[in-house]
Amino acid sequence: MSGPSRGRRRMLAALGAGAAAVWLARPSARGAPHDAYFRGLQAALRQAGIAEPTLVLDRERLRANIRRIAGHLAGKMALRVVVKSLPCPALLAEAAALAGTRRQMLFSLPQLEAMAKGGRDILLGKPLPAAAALAFYRQFSDMDFQPQRQLQWLVDTPERLAQYRELARGQNLHLKLNFEIDVGLHRGGIADADTLRRMLDMVAEEPRLQWSGLMGYDAHVAKIPDLPGLRDKALRHARTSYAAFAALARAHPAGRIAEPCFNAAGSPTYRLYPGDGPENEVAVGSAMVKPSDFDLPLLDELLPACFIATPVLKALPRFELPYGVEWLGGLAGGWNANARRGYFIYGGNWQADPVSPPGLESSGLYGHSSNQQLLVGSGLQALAVDDTVFFRPRQSEAVLQQFGDIAVYEGGRIVDRWPVLPATG
């Protein structure tokens, strides 16, 4: 046999071996029907006659999470419940009762108008325009809530402080002002000692204003890349910065108050504060229901407590793409066993990911839809029309408000429907 013939045969053999290796490396079928937990959820929804996209809250898991969070704090730090993360009055009441707190953190004028009642202690979690504060005072009427004692407005710059000062003077109001400080997140706030002194001077010169404390948010500590030592360094910087700002404030005449509110941390980082610094409270909300963005080592003891449930509208025998490119759907199913079946669900395109039955995913070939989203799977899920697909939200804020009343699951049944607060920015 000539040299070229042997070369061609070797090349063909190599190509054949390569093609076989690629084919053998194709994704294998995965998936399974609902496990016992999600079968129970599905049965409860059917018994309750719920057949549309619904946010389901597992009350038993919620309570267990809140008790664990309170146990982690062990009385060393106060707990402030974050309203935007749990935007439902009944859910907030449950959290407050179990955690033994009346402190809330709010982030919008509508939230403030809804929650400024009774004995709550409210801290704004972001600086609102002075015009929004004026709108609040113009409509506020609850005699059981005293804003001059129970409400802390957040200010971040001398300019915004001047606006609140003019509001106080013009409306003859007494305002409590908490100062936002930058402890490394670099999302605004007071970044240097001179600015803090200047703002404290402004408060000291105006009898209608009272400094009430500091708020330093440290979300970056949990979000930056986990390179060796980088997160620990960011935490040390955050706490050192906070301590320096707190010491400066307490030494100023405007800062000599009995019980300043030194708010720090959030759901991803609250466990990093043992109560040995000036920080005396943490703000927690999302961790109580644990959406998937909070799958962090520090929160391993907490359980997911909220899910989006939606019915299957169409269970197709095979995944197909529209006319003209049907062949591409066949190729996709031939290559990937997990794209052989197609399921159209009621709604979709949420900030959430399918979690049960396992093995479902959105189709990158078909695209997203908020009306009838297509999910593909291997068929091992054994889904039929009117079965339920469960999604796990990536976050709780905003998502919990997209589905109307929350369905409360407890003891194997849907036991209540909890209205949510209006969606806001």
Side-chain angles (χ1 to χ4, degrees):
M1 182 178 293
S2 67
S5 296
R6 287 195 298 271
R8 282 195 295 272
R9 290 183 63 185
R10 285 197 295 269
M11 181 180 69
L12 291 172
L15 288 172
V22 170
W23 185 254
L24 290 172
R26 70 191 190 280
S28 57
R30 62 180 183 274
H34 290 308
D35 62 17
Y37 178 78
F38 286 105
R39 286 198 303 272
L41 275 181
Q42 177 174 257
L45 290 165
R46 285 177 174 170
Q47 183 184 31
I50 297 174
E52 60 185 357
T54 302
L55 196 292
V56 183
L57 175 71
D58 187 322
R59 194 176 189 180
E60 294 168 352
R61 288 189 174 191
L62 169 72
R63 288 174 167 173
N65 287 344
I66 295 171
R67 291 189 184 102
R68 287 191 179 99
I69 292 167
H72 294 155
L73 296 175
K76 297 175 183 177
M77 305 277 284
L79 174 63
R80 188 174 293 275
V81 179
V82 179
V83 171
K84 71 178 175 62
S85 302
L86 306 172
C88 165
L91 174 52
L92 290 164
E94 186 107 328
L98 285 172
T101 184
R102 35 183 210 95
R103 304 184 190 208
Q104 291 185 338
M105 179 176 282
L106 309 181
F107 288 82
S108 71
L109 177 59
Q111 288 178 2
L112 180 56
E113 291 172 341
M115 306 308 294
K117 300 175 181 177
R120 295 183 177 119
D121 176 327
I122 293 175
L123 169 64
L124 271 295
K126 66 183 178 187
L128 298 185
L134 174 59
F136 167 75
Y137 285 107
R138 281 179 170 169
Q139 64 79 41
F140 174 74
S141 60
D142 192 315
M143 300 304 294
D144 291 330
F145 185 84
Q146 300 177 32
Q148 69 274 16
R149 292 194 306 104
Q150 296 171 245
L151 174 59
Q152 301 176 65
W153 298 97
L154 191 70
V155 293
D156 57 335
T157 64
E159 293 75 19
R160 195 181 306 277
L161 176 55
Q163 292 175 353
Y164 275 79
R165 180 185 62 196
E166 295 312 306
L167 171 65
R169 289 173 177 173
Q171 302 297 315
N172 194 26
L173 298 170
H174 286 82
L175 305 180
K176 291 178 69 174
L177 302 177
N178 193 294
F179 288 179
E180 181 179 10
I181 56 174
D182 182 2
V183 295
L185 182 59
H186 298 335
R187 193 176 65 178
I190 300 167
D192 59 80
D194 288 343
T195 302
L196 179 58
R197 289 192 191 95
R198 179 183 168 193
M199 292 173 66
L200 289 167
D201 288 343
M202 292 171 67
V203 170
E205 293 164 1
E206 176 51 66
R208 293 178 181 85
L209 302 181
Q210 179 188 349
W211 177 78
S212 63
L214 303 174
M215 192 276 282
Y217 190 40
D218 63 351
H220 63 290
V221 172
K223 299 293 185 179
I224 59 178
D226 193 17
L227 300 175
L230 188 58
R231 290 183 180 173
D232 287 341
K233 184 178 179 181
L235 177 63
R236 287 195 301 272
H237 175 268
R239 298 205 64 196
T240 300
S241 299
Y242 205 122
F245 281 125
L248 191 157
R250 295 308 302 273
H252 192 281
R256 293 167 188 166
I257 62 175
E259 296 180 4
C261 170
F262 286 147
N263 179 272
S267 285
T269 56
Y270 78 90
R271 295 197 67 182
L272 300 175
Y273 289 78
D276 60 354
E279 310 93 345
N280 54 25
E281 69 166 37
V282 293
V284 179
S286 295
M288 296 179 181
V289 292
K290 201 182 180 185
S292 62
D293 281 355
F294 296 82
D295 284 343
L296 304 168
L298 288 172
L299 304 181
D300 277 348
E301 296 176 31
L302 307 179
L303 293 172
C306 64
F307 302 96
I308 299 166
T310 192
V312 175
L313 299 180
K314 302 161 187 174
L316 307 182
R318 64 184 180 277
F319 167 50
E320 289 187 299
L321 286 170
Y323 176 80
V325 289
E326 295 103 325
W327 59 272
L328 188 55
L331 283 179
W335 166 254
N336 183 358
N338 301 292
R340 289 177 181 167
R341 298 289 302 272
Y343 306 95
F344 286 93
I345 60 171
Y346 191 156
N349 202 24
W350 302 297
Q351 291 190 62
D353 302 290
V355 66
S356 188
L360 296 176
E361 60 186 8
S362 299
S363 169
L365 294 173
Y366 205 94
H368 296 284
S369 170
S370 300
N371 175 42
Q372 295 183 67
Q373 183 167 344
L374 172 70
L375 300 177
V376 294
S378 64
L380 295 174
Q381 295 81 8
L383 276 175
V385 170
D386 295 337
D387 285 344
T388 305
V389 173
F390 294 95
F391 286 72
R392 187 174 171 204
R394 299 182 199 122
Q395 61 180 48
S396 58
E397 59 188 83
V399 177
L400 267 65
Q401 296 163 288
Q402 289 183 263
F403 304 91
D405 294 353
I406 294 173
V408 182
Y409 177 68
E410 183 178 16
R413 298 183 302 112
I414 302 299
V415 297
D416 207 347
R417 300 297 297 269
W418 286 351
V420 297
L421 295 171
T424 61

